[in-house]
Amino acid sequence: EIVMTQSPATLSVSPGERGTLSCRASQNVNSDLAWYQQIPGQAPRLLIYGASTRATGIPARFSGSGSGTEFSLTINSLQSEDFAVYYCQQYKDWPYSFGQGTKLEIK
Amino acid sequence: EVKLVESGGGLVQPGGSLRLSCAASGFTSATYWMSWIRQAPGKGLEWVATINQDESKKYSMGSVKGRFTISRDSAKNLLFLQMNSLRAEDTGIYFCARDYYGSGLSYFDYWGQGILVTVSS
């Protein structure tokens, strides 16, 4: 079973600044990695798939990078609607697994 | 517009059963793998189960094997999760989601709003 570990648990960033979130896989997942955003009370929304491809309608300030076991999600020029919880998910093998989430909060 | 709408949640006693449904619209659900993902109160996302188009392949997380069964009625664009022998730790919001790839092992490109399941005496 592939374990996904996200860091930090909470990231405090000022609006307009950049935030970088990390995700580590316990074994190689190639680029089979997705990122989701969840605003409290809402369903998760797909942001990134294939480690670096933005989903339809996702602003260019969101970017993903990495492969193998180390991944990151960078959000440039943070806007108020970006403060949420972010999850990574591997789909390299069964069972699917998510990281525990990073809460991005306003500094 | 793709829509997924869950129903069937509620309060159930430990050991009881519930059947969740997910109604899909705006796309031909019969051509997609579909999944259930859950979220315990204040916790992260946890994948529960996935089914392929013709129900010949089903995958589920270890702690629900033998208790939960995923199924579908493709003609009616419905996805189901039959949950038996429910435990307190099964409490949470259950989301249905569409697997993007039609061949298994995928990310989830559309999610329902979720339905609350509470297991408590």
Side-chain angles (χ1 to χ4, degrees):
Chain A
E1 181 172 333
I2 300 173
V3 177
M4 307 301 292
T5 304
Q6 291 185 240
S7 61
T10 303
L11 182 63
S12 299
V13 183
S14 301
E17 298 295 306
R18 175 188 298 169
T20 300
L21 293 66
S22 296
C23 174
R24 173 177 292 178
S26 62
Q27 55 188 275
N28 181 18
V29 300
N30 296 330
S31 294
D32 296 333
L33 190 285
W35 289 94
Y36 303 88
Q37 177 195 63
Q38 188 178 33
I39 294 168
Q42 296 187 17
R45 176 175 72 146
L46 176 67
L47 296 175
I48 301 285
Y49 62 90
S52 61
T53 303
R54 280 189 304 277
T56 303
I58 302 303
R61 65 180 182 273
F62 290 90
S63 63
S65 64
S67 67
T69 62
E70 300 285 341
F71 303 88
S72 62
L73 173 70
T74 299
I75 312 167
N76 289 306
S77 189
L78 276 158
Q79 302 188 8
S80 58
E81 61 265 31
D82 299 335
F83 292 95
V85 180
Y86 292 82
Y87 296 95
C88 60
Q89 176 231 340
Q90 67 81 19
Y91 50 96
K92 174 69 168 58
D93 200 3
W94 304 103
Y96 289 144
S97 47
F98 291 89
Q100 78 279 20
T102 290
K103 181 180 180 182
L104 182 57
E105 65 175 26
I106 299 175
K107 187 174 182 180
Chain B
E1 178 194 7
V2 171
K3 280 191 74 175
L4 298 169
V5 180
E6 302 91 342
S7 60
L11 175 64
V12 62
Q13 292 188 337
S17 298
L18 273 180
R19 189 194 197 203
L20 304 183
S21 299
C22 172
S25 60
F27 68 104
T28 306
S29 64
T31 62
Y32 288 87
W33 291 52
M34 298 290 294
S35 295
W36 290 97
I37 298 108
R38 70 184 181 183
Q39 186 169 37
K43 302 298 183 182
L45 301 171
E46 183 175 52
W47 169 75
V48 176
T50 297
I51 188 169
N52 74 337
Q53 293 92 333
D54 65 2
E55 300 190 85
S56 62
K57 295 181 180 179
K58 301 179 182 182
Y59 299 86
S60 61
M61 62 180 293
S63 65
V64 308
K65 285 186 191 298
R67 300 190 300 123
F68 290 12
T69 301
I70 188 171
S71 63
R72 65 194 301 168
D73 183 337
S74 293
K76 296 183 178 178
N77 290 322
L78 290 171
L79 175 71
F80 304 106
L81 186 67
Q82 177 67 44
M83 303 186 294
N84 299 330
S85 303
L86 281 160
R87 306 167 180 167
E89 55 264 35
D90 296 318
T91 293
I93 296 173
Y94 283 70
F95 299 96
C96 71
R98 189 178 84 168
D99 291 44
Y100 176 79
Y101 293 130
S103 55
L105 288 173
S106 175
Y107 53 89
F108 310 111
D109 63 343
Y110 286 96
W111 297 62
Q113 277 302 110
I115 191 77
L116 179 62
V117 172
T118 303
V119 184
S120 175
S121 55

